[in-house]
């Protein structure tokens, strides 16, 4: 029997309906949740991501302000904008779209965002809070993956072995910490791991976040495993695809997330959730 789909679009719709309801409650009390989005330059992928984020805010009753700057913006000018948004009481979340142009140190800019408004969860204070189990904003993509697991009854992962493929600061590393916090046993691999299949075949949960199509194939998956595909790639025909060989793996896995319609919508949903929570905390 082929794997059941974890439908990120449907789960997002349910969560966004709840976010919109809670945003309306806040607005009635005089506080409309607000997200500031900063886009520097004209990276085509970033433009699409930012457009989708702004549209999702609108639909959920979250006020969004998009600030666009030319690619030659100075670091000092960007830091000044971040400082002004930190001080603006109508802004509850600040998102600086990455990557930034080469003349700007992204660590410095992310570090300048107030941790109280770091709805991307990228600040070292947010990363540190996740590390030590304190309160802080969680990075949206791994947070969304955890929600997808919860949606199929997998909240407590005691006794489960999760294999994460990928070690980025915004997905792989925080994903591993969230899985550990949910009591899973966690192995973190990457594209250079020797005999990756020997590890993934032991996994009850595989999270693929490398950014390369075909990283996980059917022979690498234990029958019945849960497969979460964070990848966003284009196949030879130009179609959107993930890191997982979907057609092959779905014949073996128990659950699988599609691309598109899986993790992608959940990332934006968790951004809305973080922004709402930021506004709720200060109301
Ligand atoms: N670039 C790619 N993904 C992200 C994201 O989730 N947040 C930001 N700020 N930039 C990104």
């Amino acid at each position: 029997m082929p794997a059941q789909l974890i439908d990120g679009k449907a789960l997002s719709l349910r969560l966004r309906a709840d976010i919109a309801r809670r945003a309306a409650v806040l607005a009635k009390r005089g506080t409309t949740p607000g997200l500031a989005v900063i886009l520097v330059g004209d990276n085509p992928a970033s433009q699409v991501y930012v457009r989708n984020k702004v549209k999702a805010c609108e639909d959920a009753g979250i006020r969004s302000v998009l600030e666009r700057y030319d690619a030659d913006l100075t670091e000092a000018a960007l830091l000044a904008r971040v400082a002004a948004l930190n001080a603006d009481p109508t802004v509850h979340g600040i998102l600086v779209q990455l990557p930034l142009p080469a003349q700007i140190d992204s660590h410095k800019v992310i570090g300048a965002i107030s941790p109280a408004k770091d709805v991307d969860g990228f600040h070292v204070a947010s990363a540190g809070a996740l590390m030590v189990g304190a309160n802080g904003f969680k990075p949206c993509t791994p947070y969304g993956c955890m929600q997808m697991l919860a949606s199929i009854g997998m909240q407590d992962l005691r006794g489960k072995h999760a294999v994460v493929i990928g070690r980025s600061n915004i997905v792989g590393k925080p994903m591993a910490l969230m899985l550990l916090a949910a009591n899973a046993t966690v192995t973190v691999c990457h594209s250079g791991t020797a005999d990756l299949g020997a590890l993934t075949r032991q996994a009850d949960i595989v999270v693929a976040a490398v950014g390369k199509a075909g990283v996980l194939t059917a022979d690498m998956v234990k029958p019945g495993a849960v497969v979460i595909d964070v990848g966003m790639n284009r196949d030879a025909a130009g179609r959107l695809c993930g890191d997982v060989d979907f057609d092959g793996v779905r014949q073996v896995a128990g659950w699988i997330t599609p691309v598109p319609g899986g993790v992608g919508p959940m990332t934006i949903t968790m951004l809305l959730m973080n922004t709402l929570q930021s506004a709720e905390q200060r109301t």
Side-chain angles (χ1 to χ4, degrees), residues 127 129-133 138 142-143 145-146 149 154-164 171-188 205 207:
L130 180 59
M131 181 86 169
V132 302
K138 296 186 175 71
Y143 191 13
C145 293
M146 295 305 290
L149 288 173
M154 297 183 80
Q155 276 105 341
D156 188 346
L157 305 177
R158 197 174 301 271
K160 306 280 186 209
H161 182 188
V163 170
V164 178
V171 184
K173 290 177 198 169
M175 184 83 239
L177 291 173
M178 287 182 210
L179 289 162
L180 278 171
N183 301 313
T185 300
V186 181
T187 302
V188 184
I205 300 162
V207 180

Side-chain angles (χ1 to χ4, degrees), residues 53 95-98 120 122 170:
K53 288 169 186 175
L95 183 153
V96 177
Q97 187 68 27
L98 302 178
D120 247 340
F122 291 176
I170 64 176

Side-chain angles (χ1 to χ4, degrees), residues 51-273:
R51 200 182 320 129
N52 289 341
K53 288 169 186 175
V54 168
K55 166 83 167 57
C57 281
E58 255 171 44
D59 293 347
I62 293 174
R63 188 180 69 92
S64 70
V65 183
L66 172 59
E67 298 190 9
R68 302 188 61 147
Y69 298 101
D70 292 339
D72 61 358
L73 183 76
T74 65
E75 185 181 278
L78 182 52
L79 289 170
R81 272 317 295 152
V82 169
L85 292 167
N86 281 340
D88 184 340
T90 70
V91 170
H92 304 96
I94 301 169
L95 183 153
V96 177
Q97 187 68 27
L98 302 178
L100 288 168
Q103 76 276 13
I104 300 177
D105 179 347
S106 57
H107 290 294
K108 206 162 161 186
V109 173
I110 300 299
I113 296 172
S114 163
K117 299 189 178 187
D118 174 38
V119 289
D120 247 340
F122 291 176
H123 193 287
V124 288
S126 305
L130 180 59
M131 181 86 169
V132 302
N135 281 333
F137 290 113
K138 296 186 175 71
C140 303
T141 298
Y143 191 13
C145 293
M146 295 305 290
Q147 295 288 322
M148 294 178 102
L149 288 173
S151 78
I152 57 165
M154 297 183 80
Q155 276 105 341
D156 188 346
L157 305 177
R158 197 174 301 271
K160 306 280 186 209
H161 182 188
V163 170
V164 178
I165 318 172
R167 54 178 159 172
S168 72
N169 292 330
I170 64 176
V171 184
K173 290 177 198 169
M175 184 83 239
L177 291 173
M178 287 182 210
L179 289 162
L180 278 171
N183 301 313
T185 300
V186 181
T187 302
V188 184
C189 306
H190 51 85
S191 55
T193 297
D195 201 358
L196 184 58
L199 293 162
T200 57
R201 274 189 290 277
Q202 298 175 32
D204 304 295
I205 300 162
V206 182
V207 180
V210 177
K212 189 164 163 250
V215 162
L216 192 77
T217 48
D219 58 301
M220 298 167 74
V221 175
K222 178 162 87 173
V226 180
V227 175
I228 306 222
D229 191 349
V230 181
M232 280 268 224
N233 313 296
R234 297 265 166 202
D235 66 14
R239 283 179 307 241
L240 203 59
C241 69
D243 288 356
V244 174
D245 171 22
F246 183 82
D247 292 336
V249 169
R250 76 178 305 193
Q251 302 304 324
V252 183
W255 293 91
I256 189 167
T257 67
V259 178
V263 174
M266 289 300 295
T267 294
I268 297 184
T269 299
M270 301 328 291
L271 172 68
L272 302 177
M273 184 75 84

